[in-house]
Amino acid sequence: MAGKDQAGGGKAVTLTDVARVAGVSVATASKALNGRSQVAPRTRARVLQAAEQLSFVPNTLAQGLLVGRTGTVGLLTSDLQGRFVIPILMGAEDAFGAGRVNVFLCDARGDTIREQHQLKALLSRRVDGLIVVGSRTDARPSIGHDLPVPVVYVYAPSEDPEDLSLVPDNVAAGRLAVEHLISCGRQRIAHVTGDPSYAAAQDRVRGALEALDAAGLELVGEVMYSEWSERWGRDATAVLLERHPDIDAVLCGSDQIARGALDTARDQGRKVPGDIAVIGFDNWDEMVTNSRPELTSIDPNLQLLGRSAAQRVFAALDGEDLGRGVHTQAPRLVIRGSTVARR
Amino acid sequence: MAGKDQAGGGKAVTLTDVARVAGVSVATASKALNGRSQVAPRTRARVLQAAEQLSFVPNTLAQGLLVGRTGTVGLLTSDLQGRFVIPILMGAEDAFGAGRVNVFLCDARGDTIREQHQLKALLSRRVDGLIVVGSRTDARPSIGHDLPVPVVYVYAPSEDPEDLSLVPDNVAAGRLAVEHLISCGRQRIAHVTGDPSYAAAQDRVRGALEALDAAGLELVGEVMYSEWSERWGRDATAVLLERHPDIDAVLCGSDQIARGALDTARDQGRKVPGDIAVIGFDNWDEMVTNSRPELTSIDPNLQLLGRSAAQRVFAALDGEDLGRGVHTQAPRLVIRGSTVARR
DNA sequence: GAAAGCACCGAAACCCTTTTCGTTTCGTGT
DNA sequence: ACACGAAACGAAAAGGGTTTCGGTGCTTTC
């Protein structure tokens, strides 16, 4: 019996069934279950018991058909693999509250055709809103302009200024990192970062240069671009220490690069943070807490970003203006042992 | 105008609108769009053009209401943060094919109350099936027995043997790891692993001991349990090298522990893989490819697991028996520089 | 020329729930 | 005892799409 049910054999219980068992009309059953006032207490109790007994669950689809709202939101990501998407997704899910709104997750795998497919599917499901999440902070093509639902772009902004985009503030992040290094008494700061085609790399460089400028300092050497890997962090730092043995801080474009920097410093007998301070970006938990010493990093507050996106969609559903343009989320400095010696 | 649309102002286009524009009845419009045969080619063309012009998208909810199938599946996870869930999720999404089936993602945050809430919400959305994903391979309480849809448990099996569960085969993984070490000529193998309360730890130990036994070997020292961290990997390996300086391989319970082991070996001047071979579990990309040398690891094939789960749900929808009990997914050995010297 | 056949189209029912509005029943006041 | 008001309940429509069935107009055949 249980097996049959599990195989999907038993068709779902409808309000009609409940009404029949309770001996009332569907209208009364509906009113009783929804707490409307035009039902006698005894009748209500009978309906509730019948619903309980049949383990009735109202069909949200039929409700949505009537109300015109489905209580669902589509989350369209281009790269689920990437670790940036997850916190955003969690933040959004959080904001929507358990059970009231459900999230359709779609991964387009970075394929535009696929994305259009998914978009169509989501619209046919009559989602109330859309959140589009990218894996890079570079601008991406708009998903479309005349969509019948509000759309918010997160992490990767839309190229169209009419769209609303929420992104981490990487310029502020770069500034924050350098300001922290300076406040630790560092003066000779070098910068190793990743792929120069990434807006994130460029923005952080810009912020860093701004902060250095404001303090009357200059970067030691050129910005070293290559890839977002520990290997590059190790190699670049080795070169750096040879060319500029007097540096007292390495600003790293990501936590991975920073870990590489830490490894090279350790190999060469440079004390961190005594001789050299190291700082990274992303505040990627497994990276920052497992390194020696633990890594100071700039947290982009992705979860907040996801939550904001969800709230914006909500507000738009309630008739508020969605807004437009690119809005940034302030980063957060998390200080650990790689810049400040533990007491 | 575009702004108004984006705010959700323009209500969705219905089949009635298309029919009016095409100058036919809704019935004819429906048949034309769905490729039914009772429509004249010219009429069909007119309808298609009207649909195109209005960018009509059929309302899947209304369809589902009629057919009794929604083309949606609920994916209930207890811990989205964990990196094990993502590949499973991707595998499932993959198997469902873009657009045909959509996935409702729910994160219960490990809370049972919340999980029941989410379950109810999913059932009210009339999902066609459910996939329940845990973050540990330990058995978890069944989500319920008399559900009107097929349910598959992934990674964390259900305690109820009547339910269908798909889990990675950690015993085989332990065996595979040891067999590889032995095939590399290692004889004095030690084992450092994580939290002993995890079934994954125990299962891998069991598999490892089986393989050692089959080869007439014994583990060097006791299994060292503690936590799944690099720090523990470093500390444990240091102790190990002091107590048993003659070991030639460290079997590590996770890639993180293995990285710690590599670091300690390096610190103490032991060559890997020359003096000591190191192997991990999980094949976590960022861990295995960034270490020095790159880390040999056992891949649990999680993506396949997710895909299998989706396929099972599909099959159950087509009337096939869902099955019951715990089924295991064979692991895969990925050889890298930490056990075999690169040529 | 009339009857039969065929291709095509439209009206209406159905899915499930909510809501409006009309009907019934009861109690109370006169 | 009758009338009136209020409370409780039920019939029906709506929401969007699919499908069945019946009907229209055309062509074919004897």
Side-chain angles (χ1 to χ4, degrees), chain A residues 91-103 310 314, chain B residues 114 117-118 121:
Chain A
E93 243 238 315
D94 244 18
F96 284 133
R100 293 220 38 77
V101 173
N102 280 103
V103 175
F314 255 159
Chain B
R114 202 161 178 158
H117 238 82
Q118 303 268 31

Side-chain angles (χ1 to χ4, degrees), chain B residues 126-141:
Chain B
R126 293 292 187 270
V127 291
D128 293 333
L130 273 175
I131 298 180
V132 180
V133 185
S135 59
R136 300 174 49 166
T137 57
D138 303 79
R140 47 150 292 153

Side-chain angles (χ1 to χ4, degrees), chain B residues 24-25 27-28 31 39-40 43 65-66:
Chain B
V24 297
S25 73
T28 307
K31 279 179 285 199
V39 182
T43 313
L65 197 52
L66 208 45

Side-chain angles (χ1 to χ4, degrees), chain B residues 3 5 43 50 70 170 180 232 237 312 314 325:
Chain B
D5 276 1
T43 313
T70 55
N170 274 317
H180 172 62
W232 165 241
T237 306
R312 295 270 192 160
F314 256 158

Side-chain angles (χ1 to χ4, degrees), chain B residues 188-191 219-222 224 236-250 270 276:
Chain B
R188 295 176 300 281
I189 303 173
H191 187 14
L219 202 63
V220 175
E222 298 291 310
M224 301 180 75
T237 306
V239 171
L240 205 55
L241 290 177
E242 195 182 326
R243 281 200 209 146
H244 309 282
D246 61 335
I247 59 171
D248 57 11
V250 184
R270 305 277 192 129
I276 295 182

Side-chain angles (χ1 to χ4, degrees), chain A residues 151-168:
Chain A
V151 182
V152 179
Y153 295 80
V154 184
Y155 205 80
S158 165
E159 284 169 354
D160 189 333
E162 288 297 309
D163 291 328
L164 172 64
S165 307
L166 305 181
V167 301

